[in-house]
């Protein structure tokens, strides 16, 4: 068995002649937090969309636990245990926090589309939903309407709903985007906490977050892998600093684990 839960071979995505992802060979180790970073337009979100099959590769191959998944559909990918979040918080604002988590739990019960059944049949999911809310420090908000949650708490709820689908690999797209300092610290610790027993691949711009929790970092620039390795080596790579157009030294070396 390979030590990698996810890997790609020469992954390419072209849009009308523009190469957005250029021969990317990505290797995510089991049990690791792996960060994907790079300047704006580097191809990070496109990579995520390729891995979860929201878009189809032009060429190359994708493997999950040694099984090729290149041609599988998004639903098949999710059933395998690859679950992603998005840059924009994806929760149901007019449902309670508890109800949002129950929706994630329904997938495992096979009742997601049985609309003729009473909502009370979902009460059996409450105990597990409350356990998940406790994991992300949202127990006190269980009966609150999600629309009233602060932004950082909504992102924590999104992680809880992701956990409800029992992922082996979580793909987190900009989990701390738009947050204040206090929320960033809370979500960073939450990611560290939920990574126990699973693998995480994350796109993140905040280098303090990356430096503090990432086991390995892959740097993309113009769709290609520019550097890869632990934070200490990547942050000192001259090519990485140049790719960030002079801002990398402050962004990367200025962050402290």
């Amino acid at each position: 068995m390979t030590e990698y839960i996810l890997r790609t071979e020469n992954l390419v995505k072209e849009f009308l002649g523009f190469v957005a992802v250029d021969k990317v060979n990505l290797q995510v180790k089991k049990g690791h937090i792996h960060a994907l970073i790079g300047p704006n337009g580097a191809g990070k979100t496109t990579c995520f969309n390729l891995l979860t099959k929201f878009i189809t590769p032009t060429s190359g191959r994708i493997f999950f636990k040694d099984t090729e998944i290149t041609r599988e559909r998004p639903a098949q990918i999710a059933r395998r245990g690859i679950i992603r979040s998005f840059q924009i918080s994806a929760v149901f604002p007019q449902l309670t926090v508890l109800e949002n988590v129950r929706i994630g739990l329904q997938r495992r019960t096979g009742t997601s589309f049985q609309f003729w059944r009473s909502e009370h049949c979902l009460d059996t999911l409450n105990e597990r939903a409350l356990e998940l809310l406790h994991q992300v420090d949202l127990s006190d908000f269980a009966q609150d309407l999600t629309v009233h949650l602060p932004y950082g708490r909504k992102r924590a709820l999104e992680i809880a709903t992701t956990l409800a689908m029992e992922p082996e690999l979580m793909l987190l797209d900009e989990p701390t985007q738009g947050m204040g300092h206090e929320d960033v610290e809370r979500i960073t610790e939450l990611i560290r906490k939920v990574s126990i027993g699973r693998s995480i691949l994350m796109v993140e711009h905040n280098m303090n977050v990356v430096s503090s929790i990432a086991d390995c970092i892959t740097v993309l620039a113009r769709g290609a892998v520019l550097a890869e390795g632990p934070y200490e080596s990547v942050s000192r790579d001259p090519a990485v600093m140049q790719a960030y157009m002079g801002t990398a030294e402050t962004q990367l070396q200025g962050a402290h684990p």
Side-chain angles (χ1 to χ4, degrees):
M1 292 290 290
T2 180
E3 63 179 318
Y4 300 108
I5 191 168
L6 180 78
R7 60 186 177 89
T8 67
E9 293 181 356
N10 295 318
L11 200 61
V12 174
K13 182 60 183 179
E14 296 182 9
F15 295 99
L16 300 176
F18 171 73
V19 181
V21 173
D22 188 7
K23 297 179 181 178
V24 168
N25 294 300
L26 187 66
Q27 295 180 320
V28 180
K29 284 188 176 182
K30 295 176 181 177
H32 277 203
I33 299 176
H34 194 121
L36 197 59
I37 70 171
N40 290 333
K44 305 181 295 296
T45 297
T46 302
C47 266
F48 259 39
N49 289 334
L50 289 170
L51 296 175
T52 49
K53 303 314 303 298
F54 282 83
I55 57 176
T56 302
T58 302
S59 61
R61 304 167 77 190
I62 305 169
F63 295 86
F64 179 65
K65 298 194 301 184
D66 287 334
T67 299
E68 185 172 0
I69 60 171
T70 312
R71 301 303 167 192
E72 293 190 356
R73 297 180 179 180
Q76 293 173 290
I77 300 296
R79 282 193 291 270
R80 286 190 180 276
I82 304 174
I83 308 294
R84 73 171 288 182
S85 71
F86 295 84
Q87 288 183 13
I88 300 172
S89 184
V91 293
F92 296 97
Q94 297 306 322
L95 296 180
T96 68
V97 171
L98 180 70
E99 288 169 339
N100 267 276
V101 179
R102 289 198 319 194
I103 288 174
L105 290 169
Q106 276 184 266
R107 190 178 72 87
R108 289 288 182 181
T109 68
T111 61
S112 297
F113 299 103
Q114 295 181 7
F115 303 114
W116 62 89
R117 300 183 67 180
S118 168
E119 64 175 305
H120 294 298
C121 72
L122 300 179
D123 289 345
T124 57
L125 303 176
N126 286 349
E127 183 177 355
R128 177 57 180 154
L130 289 169
E131 289 175 0
L132 291 169
L133 290 177
H134 178 71
Q135 285 188 40
V136 299
D137 300 322
L138 287 178
S139 298
D140 293 340
F141 300 88
Q143 300 305 326
D144 291 1
L145 285 179
T146 303
V147 68
H148 300 313
L149 282 184
Y151 179 71
R153 300 286 187 182
K154 287 179 182 176
R155 297 315 298 258
L157 175 58
E158 188 176 54
I159 291 176
T161 58
T162 302
L163 291 174
M165 292 182 277
E166 300 181 10
E168 289 189 60
L169 174 64
M170 294 176 67
L171 276 64
L172 305 178
D173 196 357
E174 298 283 5
T176 68
Q177 184 181 48
M179 290 184 184
H181 180 70
E182 184 178 336
D183 281 337
V184 168
E185 287 188 349
R186 181 184 296 114
I187 294 300
T188 301
E189 287 307 308
L190 177 56
I191 293 170
R192 192 198 311 273
K193 180 180 177 182
V194 303
S195 70
I196 298 172
R198 57 178 57 87
S199 310
I200 294 178
L201 175 63
M202 59 186 290
V203 169
E204 181 56 62
H205 275 105
N206 189 316
M207 289 302 108
N208 284 311
V209 174
V210 170
S211 66
S212 65
I213 62 174
D215 298 297
C216 184
I217 300 169
T218 298
V219 185
L220 292 183
R222 298 180 181 178
V225 174
L226 187 62
E228 188 171 81
Y231 173 81
E232 290 75 14
S233 61
V234 168
S235 65
R236 292 171 173 79
D237 191 308
V240 173
M241 296 181 183
Q242 184 177 3
Y244 274 85
M245 298 180 293
T247 64
E249 187 166 3
T250 56
Q251 286 186 341
L252 294 172
Q253 292 190 1
H256 298 285

